[in-house]
């Protein structure tokens, strides 16, 4: 198994890295092991070997396997929520906002790291700490879209949240279905199809100041 990182070992001895760089290296190794084996089958020995470090070095940074897993979840959960927020803030064109939101999900599931499996396909979904983080993704993305819908249409928060949840659910489900089906539709075309479906629904709600 090849070690993660550049120069993880020199002349048989571990290279001293700054703490932040070592942490990044260990998380990258852990992600590869978790994605390949799942949480339950993965072992700290596997992660240490993948990172090219000793187990004591690994435990200096992460007291246990769950700490590693939750740190990875935090990183990727925050990233997908940030992408949806950026989609809302990046333009005032609502059609493009919908497209960018859909694109965020497709980009996430299509990334070569396969990190989406930690968030959407975790074998720890029943663990309270994991479930809380996964739910935070959905809630964070829905909140970002909800605020935009309220601002633009003036509908109630309850109505806006329902609309936002529909968009998030469609994007997440379609992206995973597309990937599981072997990417039979080109990615850009798949994104456009899902975005068009969502836009045709949301666009029927008039902007504030416009008549229905």
């Amino acid at each position: 198994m090849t070690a993660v990182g550049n120069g993880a070992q020199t002349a048989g001895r571990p290279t001293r890295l700054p703490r932040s760089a070592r942490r990044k290296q260990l998380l990258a190794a852990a992600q590869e092991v978790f994605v390949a084996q799942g949480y339950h089958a993965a072992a700290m020995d596997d992660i240490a070997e993948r990172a090219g470090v000793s187990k004591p070095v690994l435990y200096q940074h992460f007291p246990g396997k769950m700490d590693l897993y939750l740190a990875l979840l935090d990183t990727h959960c925050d990233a997908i929520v940030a992408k949806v927020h950026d989609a809302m803030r990046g333009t005032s064109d609502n059609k493009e906002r919908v497209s960018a939101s859909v694109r965020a999900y497709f980009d996430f599931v299509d990334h070569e790291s396969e990190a989406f499996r930690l968030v959407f396909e975790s074998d720890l979904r029943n663990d309270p700490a994991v479930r809380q983080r996964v739910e935070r993704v959905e809630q964070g993305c829905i909140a970002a879209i909800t605020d935009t819908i309220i601002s633009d249409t003036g509908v109630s928060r309850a109505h806006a949240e329902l609309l936002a949840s529909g968009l998030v659910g469609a994007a997440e489900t379609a992206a995973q279905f597309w990937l599981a089906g072997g990417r039979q539709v080109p990615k850009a075309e798949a994104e456009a199809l899902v975005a068009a479906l969502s836009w045709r629904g949301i666009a029927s709600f008039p902007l504030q100041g416009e008549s229905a």
Side-chain angles (χ1 to χ4, degrees), residues 76-78 80-82 84-85 105 108 119-120 125 130-146 161-162 164-170 172-173 176:
H76 295 299
C77 289
D78 291 346
I80 184 64
V81 172
V84 174
H85 273 279
Y105 278 91
F108 185 51
V119 179
F120 297 139
R125 291 292 289 265
V130 173
R131 186 170 63 250
Q132 183 272 331
R133 284 162 171 80
V134 173
E135 289 174 351
R136 192 179 75 211
V137 172
E138 183 177 286
Q139 292 164 358
C141 292
I142 288 173
I145 298 171
T146 294
E161 286 177 338
L162 192 57
S165 71
L167 175 56
V168 167
E172 178 184 327
T173 301
Q176 292 185 74

Side-chain angles (χ1 to χ4, degrees), residues 5-208:
N6 295 322
Q9 299 210 0
T10 302
R13 300 175 60 186
T15 300
R16 281 191 169 277
L17 293 176
R19 186 171 181 83
S20 60
R22 178 68 77 193
R23 179 181 172 87
K24 183 177 180 180
Q25 176 200 20
L26 295 176
L27 286 172
Q31 179 169 308
E32 292 186 7
V33 173
F34 286 138
V35 166
Q37 301 181 21
Y39 178 83
H40 293 295
M44 292 294 269
D45 285 322
D46 299 326
I47 295 168
E49 180 184 352
R50 184 72 185 90
V53 302
S54 65
K55 280 180 68 177
V57 169
L58 179 57
Y59 280 113
Q60 284 175 10
H61 294 265
F62 298 97
K65 187 167 67 167
M66 180 61 80
D67 299 282
L68 266 168
Y69 197 85
L70 293 179
L72 282 168
L73 270 185
D74 284 335
T75 296
H76 295 299
C77 289
D78 291 346
I80 184 64
V81 172
K83 284 188 175 184
V84 174
H85 273 279
D86 289 345
M88 296 298 104
R89 293 191 295 250
T91 179
S92 59
D93 183 328
N94 287 323
K95 186 175 182 180
E96 177 53 33
R97 282 170 169 165
V98 170
S99 296
S101 297
V102 171
R103 192 180 311 122
Y105 278 91
F106 274 82
D107 285 347
F108 185 51
V109 303
D110 195 42
H111 195 276
E112 63 183 9
S113 70
E114 296 189 80
F116 80 95
R117 299 191 188 281
L118 302 179
V119 179
F120 297 139
E121 298 180 359
S122 173
D123 52 355
L124 279 178
R125 291 292 289 265
N126 291 328
D127 180 271
V130 173
R131 186 170 63 250
Q132 183 272 331
R133 284 162 171 80
V134 173
E135 289 174 351
R136 192 179 75 211
V137 172
E138 183 177 286
Q139 292 164 358
C141 292
I142 288 173
I145 298 171
T146 294
D147 290 340
T148 301
I149 292 174
I150 291 174
S151 174
D152 285 357
T153 67
V155 300
S156 70
R157 177 162 293 276
H159 285 77
E161 286 177 338
L162 192 57
L163 290 169
S165 71
L167 175 56
V168 167
E172 178 184 327
T173 301
Q176 292 185 74
F177 181 86
W178 168 79
L179 185 68
R183 301 179 175 89
Q184 295 184 49
V185 179
K187 180 167 177 278
E189 184 179 345
E191 292 170 358
L193 284 170
V194 178
L197 174 65
S198 299
W199 172 245
R200 285 172 184 170
I202 290 179
S204 66
F205 290 84
L207 299 177
Q208 291 201 74

